[in-house]
Amino acid sequence: MLNFSESCARNQQVIYDQLLPWLEQSQNVLEIGSGSGQHALHFCSQLPKLQWQCADRDMWLNALAINIQNAELENIKAPIELDVNGSWPNAQYDLIYTANSLHIMSWQSVQNLFANLANCLHNGGYFCCYGPFKYAGEFTSSSNENFEQWLKNRNNESGIRDFEAIEILANAQQLHLVTDISMPANNQLLIWKKA
């Protein structure tokens, strides 16, 4: 597999277990920042009725397409280009999923993500976001604090996001928090529903 991620391999089943009630309510899913496609391949191999649309920036698309093609799963479509700061698909989905992306993006990109994603969600659809967050400005662990320093050293515009700031962006798009699930390795799974 191209661009294989160890952390994806470690967390994919535990995310699947927690996400399953929402995946089972959905027919079509858009994944933002699919990377290697490991989550899509893992989830779709267990839920053949799901139609999954992988998406990422242009630089990752070729390897992602090869991984999807090699998997030979009929319920994963060929990946599409999606830069949260650019054009979005002219389609609506039951569920939009992203993992480990908000802390990589700039804050402006996070704002652009929320400004656009509601247009791609059916009413009653879900936005599911996995990754580390701060609460009331505090890290949930010292390892997340160290991780933020590593992120900032690599790109000063990235960083672990404040849950409260994300919630304001979500609410502005008529997205209401359904649940906030604590996950292993100091991550969260946040699920919003479009009103």
Side-chain angles (χ1 to χ4, degrees):
M1 173 173 280
L2 300 173
N3 296 332
F4 178 81
S5 162
E6 281 289 349
S7 62
C8 264
R10 279 196 308 273
N11 68 33
Q12 60 192 16
Q13 185 60 40
V14 70
I15 296 175
Y16 175 82
D17 291 342
Q18 294 293 340
L19 202 52
L20 185 57
W22 290 276
L23 292 174
E24 287 180 328
Q25 295 176 46
S26 305
Q27 290 184 319
N28 58 349
V29 176
L30 171 67
E31 181 182 10
I32 298 171
S34 299
S36 62
Q38 282 166 257
H39 283 174
L41 298 174
H42 185 75
F43 299 168
C44 287
S45 67
Q46 299 177 77
L47 286 173
K49 79 170 186 72
L50 264 190
Q51 290 296 313
W52 196 282
Q53 179 65 71
C54 287
D56 214 318
R57 294 166 68 194
D58 180 60
M59 67 186 88
W60 308 111
L61 280 188
N62 191 43
L64 176 58
I66 290 168
N67 288 344
I68 290 170
Q69 199 171 358
N70 289 343
E72 297 182 344
L73 288 172
E74 291 183 2
N75 54 337
I76 305 184
K77 299 178 181 178
I80 58 172
E81 182 180 355
L82 196 165
D83 182 329
V84 297
N85 303 306
S87 62
W88 283 64
N90 184 23
Q92 285 193 314
Y93 300 86
D94 300 325
L95 188 149
I96 296 176
Y97 170 75
T98 193
N100 291 318
S101 58
L102 269 58
H103 58 272
I104 304 295
M105 301 177 190
S106 68
W107 179 242
Q108 183 61 59
S109 295
V110 173
Q111 291 175 297
N112 291 340
L113 168 76
F114 276 90
N116 287 285
L117 72 83
N119 293 330
C120 289
L121 265 183
H122 290 299
N123 287 335
Y126 296 99
F127 174 53
C128 306
C129 180
Y130 171 86
F133 292 90
K134 291 186 284 191
Y135 291 84
E138 299 291 327
F139 294 98
T140 59
S141 69
S142 57
S143 63
N144 277 2
E145 191 169 3
N146 294 336
F147 180 46
E148 162 124 315
Q149 195 54 58
W150 180 84
L151 288 167
K152 294 284 189 191
N153 289 340
R154 204 182 61 154
N155 179 353
N156 196 44
E157 291 197 9
S158 61
I160 295 176
R161 304 302 170 194
D162 282 293
F163 167 79
E164 292 81 5
I166 296 294
E167 178 74 330
I168 289 168
L169 296 180
N171 291 167
Q173 300 301 321
Q174 302 301 308
L175 297 168
H176 302 291
L177 190 70
V178 175
T179 189
D180 177 352
I181 303 167
S182 292
M183 303 289 282
N186 307 303
N187 288 302
Q188 305 296 130
L189 180 61
L190 305 175
I191 299 177
W192 288 272
K193 184 175 185 177
K194 182 180 173 183

